[in-house]
Amino acid sequence: MDGKRHAHHDHGRPTRTQQMERTQHRRRLRLLRHRLSHLLIPHSHQAGDKVDAAMETSRDGMRTLWISLVVLGATTVVQAVIVALSGSVALFGDTVHNAADALTAVPLGIAFLLGRRAADRRYTYGYGRAEDLAGVLIVATIAASAVLAAWTGVDRLLHPRDITHLWAVSGAALAGFVGNEWVARYRIRTGRRIGSAALVADGLHARTDGFTSLAVLLGAGGTALGWRAADPVVGLLITLAILLVLKDAAREVYRRLMDSVDPELVATAHATLRGVDGVLDTGQVRMRWIGHALRAEADIVVDARLTVVEAHRISVAAEHALIHAVPRLTAATVHTDHTPVEDDPHAALHHHAPQNRRPSPTPVHSSK
């Protein structure tokens, strides 16, 4: 009688063995889908492949720097010759700015080379932050060029000089615009593709140089019409343009130094994690740039009845999904919380750093 009652009680409920078989079946299906996706879109997450990808992006950055250095160097030489012949202070300011822009390739190139070095016990995240330091040098260089252009313009207002070879000045200004605009497009496109804020800032710098080169034409035109102060006035206007690009570049570099990321990336990460089989909810998701690569830390909530092996498998799947969903993400540390139990597992941490502790998982009413 007891046996019949026990059998009736378990009627329709899967046994532990059946649950394990179903879990293994679902796991095999996910593995099959994963392998098929790798066949259609080959990729890898091995450490060596990540290093190769980082080196490839640094090669792209180095190639962009060298080509833009040659273009801007040639433009600067042409303009310097015309400055010596004409004495144009506006063209001098533009030439100084172009020379400074070309020279910023040096610290940025060093940063790209440093970024190729593997992480060690002292620099456990690698040397990608060298790009941010290069960005600071770029901002300082832009500021120095603004000071020099302003000083030259004021000096020429106080001590006027005649300007000659106006047609040559106009031609040099056009050459400066064409060269800088080409370099700006090239740097910004590469910087956004590889995730380098410093290279994007350098591209913005070059773009402003192009427009300041066009402003030199105004000075030449005013001088041709007999306005003697036109050239130094345009030189001071160029200084204001340099200050504007200084503001944009400083903001870009400041945000990178302060670990700012696009909020859309965080939203994408939350949505991706919630779509992983076995993830019931998400907690904190944090990201930071290291050079031109992203790293993430994420909290997920799983069923408290899972084994350690099962929970770990879900966390690995979550990291894998994040790497695919978030551009430029190379690695993620996924922490598994569980649905509520009797005691708070984070209680021992509360008195250490209350403002930074992980939030306790909230009850989850939906299941996957």
Side-chain angles (χ1 to χ4, degrees), residues 81-293:
V81 172
I82 304 302
V83 168
L85 293 174
S86 65
S88 171
V89 69
L91 187 59
F92 172 76
D94 193 40
T95 303
V96 169
H97 202 189
N98 285 337
D101 195 13
L103 292 176
T104 56
V106 176
L108 201 48
I110 295 173
F112 282 134
L113 291 176
L114 280 176
R116 296 180 181 181
R117 298 182 62 178
D120 53 39
R121 290 190 175 184
R122 182 176 294 275
Y123 298 97
T124 55
Y125 283 96
Y127 294 79
R129 286 287 191 182
E131 282 188 39
D132 299 329
L133 295 178
V136 174
L137 290 177
I138 289 171
V139 170
T141 302
I142 298 173
S145 64
V147 171
L148 181 58
W151 179 83
T152 306
V154 172
D155 179 70
R156 189 59 58 88
L157 277 176
L158 297 176
H159 307 90
R161 292 184 204 169
D162 292 330
I163 299 175
T164 60
H165 302 83
L166 292 179
W167 289 107
V169 171
S170 300
L174 288 174
F177 170 74
V178 173
N180 277 289
E181 181 60 23
W182 186 90
V183 167
R185 290 173 180 262
Y186 191 26
R187 286 179 175 177
I188 292 173
R189 184 172 62 248
T190 302
R192 287 176 177 168
R193 188 179 71 249
I194 68 175
S196 174
L199 192 55
V200 171
D202 220 14
L204 293 172
H205 184 193
R207 171 153 289 166
T208 301
D209 282 352
F211 288 112
T212 56
S213 294
L214 287 181
V216 175
L217 285 174
L218 296 177
T223 302
L225 293 175
W227 184 25
R228 199 175 185 186
D231 187 67
V233 167
V234 170
L236 292 176
L237 291 177
I238 289 175
T239 301
L240 293 178
I242 296 173
L243 291 176
L244 289 176
V245 76
L246 174 63
K247 176 181 69 88
D248 292 339
R251 181 176 57 195
E252 188 80 19
V253 173
Y254 167 79
R255 287 178 176 176
R256 184 58 60 89
L257 287 171
M258 293 297 293
D259 291 328
S260 172
V261 296
D262 186 351
E264 289 296 325
L265 295 179
V266 179
T268 298
H270 276 288
T272 300
L273 290 171
R274 292 190 180 111
V276 174
D277 190 20
V279 175
L280 304 180
D281 200 1
T282 58
Q284 282 189 330
V285 173
R286 292 178 290 185
M287 296 181 185
R288 64 172 13 173
W289 286 98
I290 300 177
H292 44 262

Side-chain angles (χ1 to χ4, degrees), residues 21-66:
E21 288 177 352
R22 291 181 182 179
T23 301
Q24 291 175 354
H25 178 67
R26 289 195 297 268
R27 191 179 304 142
R28 284 194 294 268
L29 288 177
R30 289 197 300 268
L31 182 60
L32 178 60
R33 288 196 300 268
H34 178 71
R35 288 177 176 175
L36 288 175
S37 68
H38 276 245
L39 288 174
L40 295 174
I41 308 175
H43 61 279
S44 173
H45 306 299
Q46 298 298 321
D49 297 313
K50 292 177 183 178
V51 172
D52 291 341
M55 290 185 66
E56 186 60 35
T57 55
S58 66
R59 288 193 190 101
D60 289 343
M62 290 294 294
R63 187 184 307 112
T64 300
L65 288 175
W66 283 118

